[in-house]
Amino acid sequence: MNEPSISHPNEPKGNAIRKRLDKAVGLGLRTYTPSQLVVAKAKGCHLWSVDGRKLVDFTSGVLVANLGHAHPLFERLYRQYADGMPRNAYNMIAPVEVEASERLIESMRNPKAQKILWAASGSEGIQKAMWAALHRYPGRPIMVATRGGFHGKKGLAGDVTGESSTNPNVRWISFPMYDANPPAFYQAELDALAKAHPGKIVLLITEPYLGAKGSFHPPKWYHKLLQAWCEKHDVALIFDEVQASHGRTGRMYAFQTYGIRPDLVVMGKGLGNGEPVAAVAGRADLIDALRYGEASDTYSGNPRACAAVCATLDVFEQERIVDNCRAMAKVMWRGLNDLMKRFPFIRDVRGEGLVYGVEMCDDATANRCVLEAYYGTGKLGVHFLGPLAGKVLRVSPPLVVTESELESAFAVLETAWQRVKA
Ligand SMILES: Cc1ncc(COP(=O)(O)O)c(C=O)c1O
């Protein structure tokens, strides 16, 4: 039996739709958010509820719409690329797939980004990257993952997510969180694994920063240390940029932010600015280890997904999206730290580019903050995801956000969070 539907005062339309949804759609499909905004319209960095309230979008629809909603140039180019293409192109070749693949490779400026494998979701991309490594190095079953990472819920991606696994071949290493240990600590963990499994380790998978665990952004030496160890032991380094690629960290790709060249980079969310598309870009010898059909499925590399990839790259080239992200990062950092000074229930602010975690004193306060931000000043609210790891608010507006949009969101939070008593 489901719990009663979420409802809010003065939201007759929203409340009715929430009730119908709960009747028709499985609860397991949604993640918990105390607001459960029912959205009628989205444009740029704003959302409008069916009951006519306006909200600043601090989520980009779970870090997907990096260019914002209904971006005019993106929408026009997307339609142009997709025009006349079949709905799907299984067992056919749509030229737009070739164009998207070549352009994605070119955009990465990583000599190891030689070929593409398309997927329809981030976790499928992760799984395909892992399959590529496992096929390339048969007889090497051990997979190393960073503890606390999130790579998806399905299959192998689920096996390397979290802190424990039912897959007997998964081994965990530490990721720097509140206080980074010195490099020697992480080196010793890796060396112990190499010693315990000589010639048996196939891959190491990690995220640029721990997202779902609560926004932990490692010191720059950390990924370099992992990369050096992978090179020494000929282990495939898989960098999960599903939520970090396409400008989010202040560079086009997070591997550039962290100064490494992974063997396989997995992208999703921002890759098609909201069109469901994911991709693995990496070494040809790894990707070519998968033969005809071994990584195929109905939707991977479909023309509309590839049209979205091309249109997204065009907008990044024609508008200074990454520069804006870097400029707005300063405004964001200042604004969030001012809020921390003002509200003692905020315990920490962490992040880079336009992806931040605001850690609250406890889970109940974090949920209350999401709800009060939603109610905002009445006229204007701020839309957040449900807290990460219990008590961390994710702040990830579209990368096209302006200073005045950020300032108006902070002003709303100033007012709204006065109603929160920790
Ligand atoms: C870092 C990371 N990897 C993988 C995934 C899984 O992507 P998807 O939900 O599209 O399967 C996510 C989704 O949140 C993610 O944040």
Side-chain angles (χ1 to χ4, degrees):
M1 214 14 220
N2 281 349
E3 51 252 59
S5 297
I6 286 176
S7 67
H8 300 295
N10 307 319
E11 294 198 357
K13 290 185 185 159
N15 290 342
I17 292 175
R18 290 183 195 99
K19 260 200 179 136
R20 282 169 51 204
L21 176 102
D22 287 346
K23 215 168 155 204
V25 180
L27 191 71
L29 199 66
R30 321 212 85 73
T31 51
Y32 176 72
T33 307
S35 46
Q36 297 287 355
L37 162 69
V38 184
V39 64
K41 187 181 137 188
K43 182 135 186 60
C45 297
H46 288 110
L47 305 165
W48 285 263
S49 78
V50 287
D51 291 290
R53 290 190 50 238
K54 186 177 175 185
L55 296 110
V56 181
D57 181 10
F58 260 16
T59 73
S60 309
V62 71
L63 300 99
V64 164
N66 285 5
L67 304 176
H69 307 282
H71 185 289
L73 180 60
F74 171 81
E75 298 299 339
R76 181 161 59 77
L77 293 171
Y78 171 54
R79 274 198 303 278
Q80 271 172 22
Y81 281 110
D83 188 38
M85 285 287 108
R87 273 279 163 195
N88 207 3
Y90 200 86
N91 277 5
M92 304 179 235
I93 298 162
V96 69
E97 179 186 350
V98 182
E99 185 173 349
S101 307
E102 289 174 348
R103 289 191 53 197
L104 188 56
I105 288 169
E106 197 191 309
S107 77
M108 298 187 83
R109 299 200 193 99
N110 170 10
K112 289 183 181 162
Q114 295 156 356
K115 276 198 151 175
I116 299 291
L117 276 176
W118 296 107
S121 70
S123 45
E124 290 169 29
I126 295 290
Q127 179 141 287
K128 288 183 185 182
M130 295 174 75
W131 284 342
L134 286 161
H135 279 66
R136 171 70 179 83
Y137 300 114
R140 289 168 54 172
I142 302 297
M143 297 173 277
V144 178
T146 42
R147 200 176 290 110
F150 183 80
H151 304 290
K153 292 172 190 156
K154 303 182 197 84
L156 277 178
D159 287 353
V160 290
T161 282
E163 340 222 312
S164 64
S165 181
T166 51
N167 185 325
N169 291 320
V170 175
R171 299 290 178 278
W172 303 98
I173 53 169
S174 305
F175 195 101
M177 290 177 63
Y178 292 100
D179 294 311
N181 286 299
F185 172 87
Y186 304 95
Q187 188 68 50
E189 278 190 342
L190 288 164
D191 290 344
L193 280 176
K195 207 166 158 208
H197 307 284
K200 295 288 178 201
I201 302 178
V202 59
L203 63 87
L204 186 158
I205 182 162
T206 189
E207 286 176 83
Y209 54 84
L210 293 186
K213 187 73 184 166
S215 224
F216 292 97
H217 301 252
K220 289 285 175 338
W221 50 258
Y222 177 71
H223 288 304
K224 290 188 177 147
L225 185 149
L226 299 188
Q227 174 172 260
W229 181 84
C230 286
E231 278 169 359
K232 182 169 170 202
H233 297 281
D234 189 25
V235 167
L237 176 59
I238 303 177
F239 212 48
D240 177 351
E241 293 205 22
V242 167
Q243 68 160 255
S245 79
H246 288 68
R248 191 49 70 181
T249 64
R251 299 286 298 269
M252 187 64 177
Y253 296 101
F255 70 82
Q256 296 163 341
T257 301
Y258 286 93
I260 59 164
R261 289 178 167 176
D263 299 303
L264 296 164
V265 174
V266 187
M267 292 155 277
K269 301 183 187 285
L271 173 63
N273 193 41
E275 192 63 18
V277 55
V280 185
R283 269 170 43 198
D285 67 303
L286 292 166
I287 286 180
D288 286 341
L290 292 163
R291 308 310 296 158
Y292 266 131
E294 285 180 326
S296 73
D297 44 48
T298 307
Y299 292 122
S300 291
N302 77 74
R304 268 149 222 280
C306 293
V309 171
C310 290
T312 302
L313 288 173
D314 282 342
V315 178
F316 270 95
E317 279 162 23
Q318 291 179 36
E319 299 183 0
R320 306 189 74 82
I321 308 291
V322 179
D323 289 350
N324 188 63
C325 171
R326 277 206 287 267
M328 290 308 108
K330 294 190 188 117
V331 180
M332 179 64 88
W333 184 250
R334 199 175 56 232
L336 294 178
N337 277 285
D338 284 350
L339 287 171
M340 182 161 67
K341 281 184 212 135
R342 179 103 179 66
F343 296 109
F345 53 74
I346 301 181
R347 294 293 154 84
D348 198 12
V349 172
R350 304 182 281 270
E352 59 188 311
L354 279 176
V355 55
Y356 292 80
V358 178
E359 184 169 321
M360 302 297 181
C361 58
D362 56 43
D363 297 12
T365 306
N367 277 297
R368 185 76 202 278
C369 286
V370 171
L371 189 61
E372 292 300 345
Y374 172 70
Y375 294 147
T377 56
K379 235 171 131 187
L380 186 65
V382 178
H383 175 61
F384 283 100
L385 303 170
L388 305 170
K391 58 178 178 180
V392 181
L393 262 57
R394 158 65 81 232
V395 180
S396 51
L399 308 184
V400 295
V401 72
T402 62
E403 185 162 354
S404 69
E405 285 166 339
L406 285 179
E407 295 302 355
S408 68
F410 292 135
V412 167
L413 296 178
E414 274 276 345
T415 306
W417 286 355
Q418 284 177 35
R419 300 190 294 264
V420 177
K421 303 251 179 309

